[in-house]
Amino acid sequence: QVQLVESGGGLVQVGGSLRLSCAASEVTLENYAIGWFRQAPWKEREAVSCISASDVSTYYADSVKGRFTISRDNATNTLYLQMNSLKPGDTANYYCAARLYRLCILADTVYDYWGKGTQVTVSS
C-alpha cells in the first residue's frame, strides 16, 4: 500500500519560509512524477509544483514561481517543497501526490496516490 506522509507545515509570518516534506513508502519516488498541491478553505485544489521522474524537469504554478522550489532526495525517498517569501495567499492545506508515470503534469486529476496534507498558515 503506497503511503505519502506530509510534514513541515505550520504558522509563519509574511515573508517567512517553510520547508515541507513528503515521505513515501511502498513506492520509489525517483521513478515517478510527484507533485505538490494545495487547497484553501472554500477554494478548489490547485497545483503548486511537480517534478518528473529522474528529476528531468520541474514545473511551477505562476503564483509560486521564484519563491518555491521542489526537490527530491532519492536516498531517503522524500520529496521537499522549499517555500520562501510566503504570502497570506499561500495559506492552505498542502498535499503531495504521486503519479504512476514519468512525466509530471500540473493537474490533480492524473495523480494516483495522495497524502493527507499539512497545513500552512501565513499571518500578516
Side-chain angles (χ1 to χ4, degrees):
Q1 180 83 15
V2 173
Q3 286 193 332
L4 302 173
V5 180
E6 303 92 338
S7 62
L11 176 64
V12 63
Q13 291 186 334
V14 168
S17 298
L18 284 174
R19 188 176 79 156
L20 305 184
S21 301
C22 173
S25 59
E26 304 302 325
V27 63
T28 302
L29 292 182
E30 180 182 11
N31 298 330
Y32 301 105
I34 311 296
W36 284 101
F37 298 82
R38 67 186 182 186
Q39 187 167 21
W42 316 116
K43 293 186 177 180
E44 292 187 356
R45 185 164 56 193
E46 64 171 338
V48 174
S49 179
C50 67
I51 184 167
S52 293
S54 303
D55 301 346
V56 170
S57 55
T58 57
Y59 299 93
Y60 297 91
D62 288 342
S63 58
V64 306
K65 278 181 183 176
R67 301 189 296 123
F68 290 11
T69 303
I70 191 170
S71 63
R72 175 167 36 200
D73 185 337
N74 296 327
T76 60
N77 209 28
T78 303
L79 177 75
Y80 297 101
L81 184 69
Q82 178 67 44
M83 306 187 297
N84 299 327
S85 302
L86 284 161
K87 305 175 180 179
D90 297 319
T91 294
N93 203 12
Y94 283 71
Y95 302 87
C96 67
R99 179 173 190 242
L100 299 182
Y101 292 90
R102 298 184 65 82
L103 179 65
C104 89
I105 298 175
L106 287 176
D108 60 353
T109 55
V110 302
Y111 285 79
D112 302 290
Y113 298 102
W114 291 82
K116 295 185 177 182
T118 184
Q119 177 67 35
V120 171
T121 303
V122 183
S123 65
S124 56

